[in-house]
Amino acid sequence: MVEAAHKRESYFDNAKFILIFLVVFGHFLQTFIAEYASMRILYIYIYTFHMPAFILISGFFAKSFGKPGYLKKMMKKLILPYVFFQLIYSIFYYFLLNKDNLSLKILDPEWSLWFLLSLFFWNLMLLVFSKMKPWKSVIVAVFIGLVAGYFDVIGGYLSLSRTLVFFPFFLVGYFLTKEHFYLLKTHFATIIGSIFIVLLLIFIAINPSLNDKWFLGSKPYANFVEVKSLGLFIRALVYFISFCSIAAFFSFVPRKRLFFTKWGKNTLYVYLLHGFFIKFFREGSQTDFQYNPSTFLLLFVITFALTVLLSSQLVKTFVQPVIELRMSMLQNVFSRLTKRESY
């Protein structure tokens, strides 16, 4: 039983590390997608599932939301770091981009910070949606996500569009059990997942006009199509592709503990901190950075190294007071130093 529980925990930590790696890698790849078709295909494929899968896992681990103090804990864990990093990113962009003035918009998330805001709203929405039967709840959530695209006012402000569009993934994750995930670990599921991935890559390759921003969930239909009625059907297709991509991904996630499993517990650190490196890469000296096969390998290695670094205990020790509003790691370090000095 202990071994089984250990494997189950490793399974989700493995998934979280792989997904956060893909988040960072996808942001690096974005620099090249306009010029290189192969990078664009890989980029779009990654975006069909990496954030939806991350959101689904977040929903899976939100099952204790009904406990006393849970929402207060979520506000402390999500909203306070959001406000802090919103300020830090604004200052960072001011100096990096040589802006004329410092602009701070608390309710308009900077780049990747939308996830913190949306995650808090998704937990709030569980107060209503968790009381419905799972299938009805998911249908209503999908319907809201589809209809949201018709309203131009629903966009990046308060991360409202992503909150509504991505909520079905969070809700499905909330209703899933560990046994549901393990159904995907059969040989048959892996074969089906492999076939789907190949077909999806072919579909992306033969549709060069496919707008990758459909998978971001951040804009109304008017930004993509002239006939808004088409938007609903396209987003419905996007939902289908993303859910199938998520299932295919989880069929390949290893269950046993691996060398990177331990880093899967610190994905929030990677998510919040990697943006500084990505923005510097995009806006700095990378303008002369040319893509070739060796560049791809280099980006892969850099991404892995950066993900590991930001997942490390060293980074967590010094950044924990900001992200988790706790100083347990620093206190442990100081206590060890004090003990050594006493000897």
Side-chain angles (χ1 to χ4, degrees):
M1 290 298 293
V2 174
E3 183 180 358
H6 183 68
K7 285 185 177 180
R8 287 198 294 269
E9 182 180 348
S10 296
Y11 176 73
F12 291 107
D13 282 339
N14 289 339
K16 288 166 64 180
F17 178 82
I18 295 170
L19 288 171
I20 198 62
F21 168 84
L22 291 175
V23 168
V24 180
F25 191 50
H27 285 153
F28 272 123
L29 289 181
Q30 190 177 6
T31 306
F32 306 101
I33 61 175
E35 297 182 62
Y36 304 98
S38 59
M39 290 298 94
R40 183 177 176 277
I41 293 170
L42 179 59
Y43 173 83
I44 294 179
Y45 168 67
I46 289 173
Y47 271 74
T48 63
F49 73 91
H50 75 333
M51 282 310 297
F54 227 124
I55 293 165
L56 187 140
I57 291 180
S58 298
F60 176 77
F61 285 106
K63 298 188 191 311
S64 60
F65 89 99
K67 293 183 178 180
Y70 179 83
L71 290 179
K72 183 179 179 180
K73 179 183 177 182
M74 284 297 101
M75 179 171 287
K76 180 181 177 181
K77 181 180 179 180
L78 300 173
I79 300 302
L80 293 182
Y82 165 79
V83 174
F84 177 81
F85 276 91
Q86 186 79 349
L87 173 62
I88 295 300
Y89 268 112
S90 297
I91 296 173
F92 178 70
Y93 294 158
Y94 171 74
F95 287 105
L96 180 65
L97 304 178
N98 296 316
K99 292 185 176 181
D100 295 330
N101 51 64
L102 178 62
S103 176
L104 177 61
K105 301 176 181 178
I106 293 295
L107 301 181
D108 196 0
E110 292 283 1
W111 198 41
S112 60
L113 295 182
W114 67 266
F115 180 70
L116 295 182
L117 207 54
S118 290
L119 186 53
F120 177 72
F121 289 141
W122 292 327
N123 278 277
L124 281 180
M125 293 164 75
L126 283 180
L127 292 172
V128 175
F129 283 83
S130 65
K131 292 179 171 55
M132 303 165 61
K133 291 184 177 180
W135 67 272
K136 287 184 178 180
S137 184
V138 172
I139 288 176
V140 172
V142 170
F143 176 77
I144 292 174
L146 293 173
V147 173
Y150 287 113
F151 299 91
D152 295 345
V153 69
I154 298 178
Y157 187 75
L158 279 175
S159 188
L160 188 56
S161 180
R162 282 183 167 118
T163 296
L164 299 179
V165 173
F166 286 136
F167 181 57
F169 300 107
F170 184 84
L171 194 59
V172 168
Y174 172 76
F175 287 123
L176 289 179
T177 65
K178 291 178 181 178
E179 288 68 31
H180 289 130
F181 285 94
Y182 298 151
L183 289 175
L184 298 172
K185 296 305 297 174
T186 63
H187 184 63
F188 177 75
T190 303
I191 293 175
I192 297 299
S194 301
I195 294 173
F196 175 80
I197 292 172
V198 171
L199 292 176
L200 179 57
L201 290 171
I202 293 174
F203 172 76
I204 297 171
I206 63 178
N207 287 279
S209 60
L210 178 64
N211 193 333
D212 58 273
K213 291 181 174 55
W214 275 106
F215 295 97
L216 301 182
S218 59
K219 303 291 183 181
Y221 296 147
N223 287 56
F224 306 120
V225 291
E226 293 183 5
V227 183
K228 284 187 178 182
S229 58
L230 293 176
L232 183 145
F233 296 100
I234 297 175
R235 180 163 287 171
L237 177 61
V238 168
Y239 273 140
F240 173 77
I241 291 174
S242 291
F243 274 115
C244 290
S245 291
I246 291 171
F249 166 76
F250 278 112
S251 72
F252 284 98
V253 174
R255 291 182 62 177
K256 63 181 181 180
R257 186 172 181 83
L258 300 170
F259 71 95
F260 58 80
T261 303
K262 60 183 178 181
W263 296 315
K265 298 177 182 179
N266 297 327
T267 52
L268 183 60
Y269 286 79
V270 183
Y271 191 83
L272 291 175
L273 298 174
H274 83 282
F276 297 108
F277 297 89
I278 298 296
K279 285 295 184 181
F280 183 79
F281 175 78
R282 291 180 182 175
E283 304 296 338
S285 59
Q286 88 292 347
T287 50
D288 299 324
F289 200 75
Q290 299 298 316
Y291 169 76
N292 55 54
S294 61
T295 303
F296 176 83
L297 180 60
L298 179 61
L299 284 178
F300 190 92
V301 172
I302 290 174
T303 300
F304 184 80
L306 180 59
T307 306
V308 171
L309 172 64
L310 298 181
S311 304
S312 67
Q313 288 296 100
L314 177 64
V315 170
K316 184 176 180 179
T317 298
F318 291 100
V319 186
Q320 187 190 45
V322 175
I323 294 181
E324 297 187 45
L325 302 179
R326 294 193 297 126
M327 298 187 66
S328 58
M329 301 290 291
L330 280 175
Q331 287 172 350
N332 289 337
V333 172
F334 288 139
S335 63
R336 290 173 187 170
L337 292 174
T338 304
K339 287 181 180 179
R340 288 180 182 177
E341 290 177 358
S342 64
Y343 288 119

